[in-house]
Amino acid sequence: MAKERTLVLCVDRDDDLGFKARIDGPIVGREACLHAATSLGLIDPEDSDVNAIFETIKLYDELTERGEEVAVAVICGNHMNLLEGDRRIASSLDAILTGTGATTCILVTDGAEDEYVLPIIQSRVPVSSVRRVVVNQMPNLEGTYYILKRLLDDPKVSKIVLVPLGLAMLLYAAGYLLGYPEGATIVVVGVVGTYLLFKGVGIDEVFGYFISSLKASLHGGRFTFVSYITAILLGIVGIILGLISMLDYYTSSGIFFQILAFLYGAIAWFTAAGLVASVGKIIDVFLNEREAMRRVVALPFFVLAIGVIAYGASIYILSISDVSRFPITTDVGVKYIIFATIGGLFCAFFGVYLQSLLGRWGDECGPVTLKREV
């Protein structure tokens, strides 16, 4: 019967090894792990990952002395993007398990952040133990100040904390300079609230994914790079025209009607931006991976449907409000929302039908292989 092999694994989720010591993961083997810990310790002796890696090596030595079959490794994530980092951890772990033949795992971490990857590891190998390394320190005021200073020196932490505070202070100072202190307070609270909402809902990750897709499109010479840039410019135009529309049709009925006035002026440009971006995506898929066409062919129809329905709804509600300068009457507004809703639903239905039609056609034809002529 084959002897069970244990993997002693250290997780550096924020990739301090790569960011500070320029050591690429994954790192497999006792000597390689010892070299990584020493290199990181010489650059930043206060990094807790140094202690975690040394604890990993210590645990490996103890199990080896007891005659167990043991492997040791360190896997790294991404310092600036945790989503991409977790994907990298998953692929690195798959490669290590294949190379070492380990059947169980002992996880060593330096804090709760690294333990977020525990479900990823458990989905690939049974975890028999989790060892968390805590460094003993004297809890005094000077030490707390120094820890906060070290955290704020980290680019990842400073981007999250210092940027919104600095922007809020600049906006407040600009408001006072222009003679609108009340407006400055409103703007600052609005900007900070929007930032917290983006972080809480995870919209910042969507923007991060968009930026990474834009870079990949540029480096790969894809058509989506041009379409995405065009969509951004159209979106900026939509924001400007939406703000102008909100000023033109300002009403004291409440913020809901002001948002609708903004949509009335901006939704056409936002819809155009979505159409340009989705059509660019379809063109790239058609040129490079046609088998994925059915996953993206419905995108422009959905974008157009949402834009048409939102446009009709904004017209109707503004037409029945107390906006005296709005050029559309209530009777015409009713027709707008009826026809917009019918048109939007028909457009969405056609997109779904076209998607299912391509799916059936792909299932009937099967995978297509291209033979290269000699």
Side-chain angles (χ1 to χ4, degrees):
M1 184 177 179
K3 198 170 184 180
E4 187 179 73
R5 189 176 182 86
T6 302
L7 172 65
V8 184
L9 181 67
C10 180
V11 178
D12 177 18
R13 193 184 185 207
D14 52 0
D15 192 24
D16 287 330
L17 281 171
F19 185 76
K20 298 177 181 178
R22 299 293 186 268
I23 298 176
D24 293 329
I27 304 159
V28 183
R30 186 185 187 280
E31 295 303 322
C33 292
L34 185 60
H35 171 71
T38 305
S39 301
L40 180 59
L42 291 174
I43 293 175
D44 187 2
E46 299 170 340
D47 196 308
S48 59
D49 287 308
V50 176
N51 299 279
I53 299 174
F54 278 127
E55 175 66 20
T56 304
I57 298 172
K58 175 177 176 290
L59 186 57
Y60 167 81
D61 291 340
E62 291 176 355
L63 296 177
T64 302
E65 290 177 0
R66 289 161 49 179
E68 297 186 19
E69 290 288 335
V70 191
V72 62
V74 179
I75 53 178
C76 305
N78 187 293
H79 191 76
M80 304 303 295
N81 191 322
L82 293 182
L83 176 62
E84 294 299 324
D86 290 345
R87 291 175 176 173
R88 183 186 179 192
I89 287 172
S91 60
S92 299
L93 181 58
D94 289 335
I96 291 172
L97 292 175
T98 302
T100 61
T103 55
T104 62
C105 175
I106 298 176
L107 178 63
V108 181
T109 75
D110 65 339
E113 183 181 58
D114 289 337
E115 291 174 12
Y116 283 127
V117 302
L118 183 59
I120 300 175
I121 298 172
Q122 288 177 322
S123 66
R124 287 160 170 80
V125 61
V127 177
S128 58
S129 177
V130 177
R131 182 75 63 88
R132 184 175 179 183
V133 179
V134 179
V135 180
N136 296 324
Q137 292 178 331
M138 290 296 292
N140 50 42
L141 183 60
E142 182 181 357
T144 303
Y145 163 77
Y146 190 67
I147 291 173
L148 291 176
K149 181 178 180 299
R150 295 292 298 176
L151 283 175
L152 294 178
D153 286 340
D154 190 329
K156 183 177 65 175
V157 177
S158 61
K159 185 178 69 172
I160 296 175
V161 177
L162 297 182
V163 170
L165 287 178
L167 180 61
M169 291 179 180
L170 284 176
L171 291 174
Y172 201 77
Y176 261 95
L177 186 63
L178 296 174
Y180 295 101
E182 297 85 0
T185 304
I186 295 173
V187 170
V188 168
V189 173
V191 169
V192 174
T194 303
Y195 172 79
L196 294 176
L197 183 64
F198 270 46
K199 293 295 292 183
V201 178
I203 301 178
D204 59 318
E205 295 186 1
V206 176
F207 278 101
Y209 175 76
F210 177 77
I211 296 298
S212 62
S213 300
L214 195 63
K215 291 180 180 178
S217 301
L218 174 61
H219 295 157
R222 294 178 178 268
F223 184 75
T224 47
F225 176 74
V226 179
S227 65
Y228 285 168
I229 294 297
T230 306
I232 292 173
L233 296 177
L234 291 174
I236 294 174
V237 174
I239 292 173
I240 295 173
L241 293 180
L243 292 174
I244 294 175
S245 175
M246 187 170 63
L247 294 175
D248 288 341
Y249 305 119
Y250 178 80
T251 175
S252 58
S253 300
I255 190 171
F256 175 70
F257 291 93
Q258 296 171 17
I259 293 174
L260 288 175
F262 174 83
L263 284 178
Y264 174 72
I267 193 64
W269 294 92
F270 288 165
T271 304
L275 288 174
V276 169
S278 57
V279 169
K281 181 68 175 178
I282 290 175
I283 291 175
D284 268 348
V285 170
F286 178 78
L287 294 176
N288 299 285
E289 40 182 343
R290 295 190 182 184
E291 66 277 1
M293 272 292 293
R294 60 182 175 181
R295 295 203 302 266
V296 298
V297 71
L299 286 177
F301 297 97
F302 289 162
V303 170
L304 184 59
I306 294 172
V308 169
I309 294 175
Y311 184 68
S314 63
I315 289 178
Y316 171 70
I317 297 178
L318 289 174
S319 67
I320 63 175
S321 65
D322 59 351
V323 181
S324 58
R325 297 182 303 278
F326 194 66
I328 299 175
T329 62
T330 303
D331 295 336
V332 179
V334 172
K335 296 179 181 179
Y336 264 101
I337 192 171
I338 291 175
F339 288 117
T341 303
I342 295 174
L345 292 176
F346 176 78
C347 186
F349 172 78
F350 184 77
V352 173
Y353 174 75
L354 184 60
Q355 187 179 42
S356 63
L357 193 66
L358 286 178
R360 289 198 301 268
W361 180 79
D363 293 338
E364 292 174 359
C365 296
V368 179
T369 56
L370 300 178
K371 297 181 179 180
R372 182 179 295 179
E373 295 182 359
V374 180

